Amino acid sequence: ELDAADAAAAEGIVAVPGCDIGALRGLLAALPRCAWLHSFSAGVDGIAPVLRETPDTLRASNARGAFTSSLAEYALAAALHFNKQVPRCMANRAAGRWERFTMNVLRGKTMGLLGYGSIARATAKLAAAFGMRIIALRRNVGGEAGEVVPEATYGYDDRAAFFGAADFIVCSLPATGETLHFVGAAAFEAMKESAVFISLGRGDVVDEAALVAALSRGRICGAALDVFEQEPLPAESPLWRCERLLLTAHNADLTSDYFEAGWATFVANAEAAAAGRPLLTPVDKSAGY
């Protein structure tokens, strides 16, 4: 219960993952001095409707960048899972079968980054260390920054060429009206048959029915999913029964230092908000990320 004195003094709100939208609306209405809203998660799609309703005077930030190292590691782990044929190795051990098959390498392969925010830039750095070629697809082409600059950057209109050029596609796009089912049947048709698709951004970006169809008929080599359209993933989802699918329960960023990493980003934004400085990780409320 929020008393009148606290409500009158509060200048900011922290939205934790899974927060109730109705409660958030009510809280905003009850805090006349609130000028800042921070999302403890990087994705703000869950509170995007509320953000769009707020006045221009209310600034918003998120945990962008706090968990990127773990997510980048997940992307490379998934790439190695398929590149080194880990399921085949495990099956051979279980069967007691000594099979000296030809081992693939990541060096020289093309890592395609779908979206080029903090997760993608951290992934590019790790992929480059393996000797991979880096390409990217993003909404606004130009001005790519980071320790590794993509060799080629594609716009949304050139998505078919992007999907066709990559050996591994790592999707970290935010969930917006524009990106809903961005990776669908046409995208999987454009990919190489040897391609691996890795999704660790937002589940709504991927058409799961189209992915199931692509995996079932061998249209692509494999996929790794850490995020889903509905979470927890329903027991009846066909994804549970897909071959060539690495599936994790949205825990690629649930590290032992999750709270500390998120807290550090929150504190940096809180200090900036209190001092009237630009926020460290500002959110474009109209764009939804």
Side-chain angles (χ1 to χ4, degrees):
E1 188 73 22
L2 187 67
D3 64 34
D6 288 338
E11 298 180 3
I13 296 174
V14 179
V16 298
C19 72
D20 182 85
I21 292 297
L24 181 58
R25 281 196 177 97
L27 191 57
L28 281 165
L31 305 181
R33 297 184 62 197
C34 184
W36 169 55
L37 193 159
H38 178 77
S39 168
F40 202 83
S41 64
V44 297
D45 44 297
I47 61 172
V50 176
L51 287 176
R52 286 192 289 269
E53 298 166 2
T54 59
D56 292 342
T57 52
L58 186 140
R59 298 192 292 170
S61 57
N62 63 358
R64 183 171 67 252
F67 317 113
T68 54
S69 62
S70 178
L71 291 165
E73 289 174 10
Y74 180 92
L76 267 295
L80 287 166
H81 175 85
F82 290 100
N83 182 259
K84 298 304 181 187
Q85 303 178 69
V86 172
R88 183 176 184 175
C89 297
M90 298 298 291
N92 284 340
R93 184 202 56 76
R97 181 171 51 243
W98 182 262
E99 182 193 15
R100 296 188 72 239
F101 60 85
T102 301
M103 190 66 75
N104 298 320
V105 296
L106 289 181
R107 179 171 294 278
K109 298 292 193 298
T110 298
M111 175 72 81
L113 300 169
L114 182 48
Y116 203 67
S118 60
I119 297 170
R121 291 194 296 272
T123 302
K125 182 179 177 181
L126 295 186
F130 278 87
M132 301 184 76
R133 175 175 177 258
I134 310 299
I135 62 174
L137 183 147
R138 61 185 309 194
R139 186 169 181 258
N140 300 309
V141 178
E144 286 72 34
E147 295 184 45
V148 178
V149 177
E151 292 184 23
T153 304
Y154 300 76
Y156 279 8
D157 291 341
D158 298 320
R159 65 187 72 177
F162 166 81
F163 288 125
D167 296 300
F168 298 88
I169 298 99
V170 178
C171 180
S172 59
L173 287 175
T176 68
E178 188 177 20
T179 62
L180 179 64
H181 285 184
F182 190 94
V183 184
F188 294 119
E189 283 298 320
M191 293 179 192
K192 301 176 181 180
E193 288 189 5
S194 58
V196 171
F197 174 70
I198 302 165
S199 178
L200 42 68
R202 281 292 180 263
D204 289 345
V205 175
V206 181
D207 183 339
E208 291 176 359
L211 174 60
V212 169
L215 289 172
S216 298
R217 60 191 181 88
R219 182 63 196 80
I220 61 175
C221 175
L225 302 181
D226 185 59
V227 291
F228 305 87
E229 293 186 76
Q230 182 180 343
E231 296 181 3
L233 185 66
E236 62 272 17
S237 170
L239 288 170
W240 289 112
R241 297 176 291 281
C242 270
E243 298 291 335
R244 299 188 302 278
L245 175 63
L246 175 62
L247 187 155
T248 50
H250 200 157
N251 60 327
D253 60 352
L254 189 59
T255 59
S256 59
D257 65 344
Y258 174 87
F259 183 79
E260 289 81 359
W263 182 257
T265 304
F266 159 73
V267 169
N269 278 292
E271 291 174 346
R277 300 194 307 268
L279 297 172
L280 175 69
T281 55
V283 169
D284 184 328
K285 295 189 294 183
S286 61
Y289 60 91

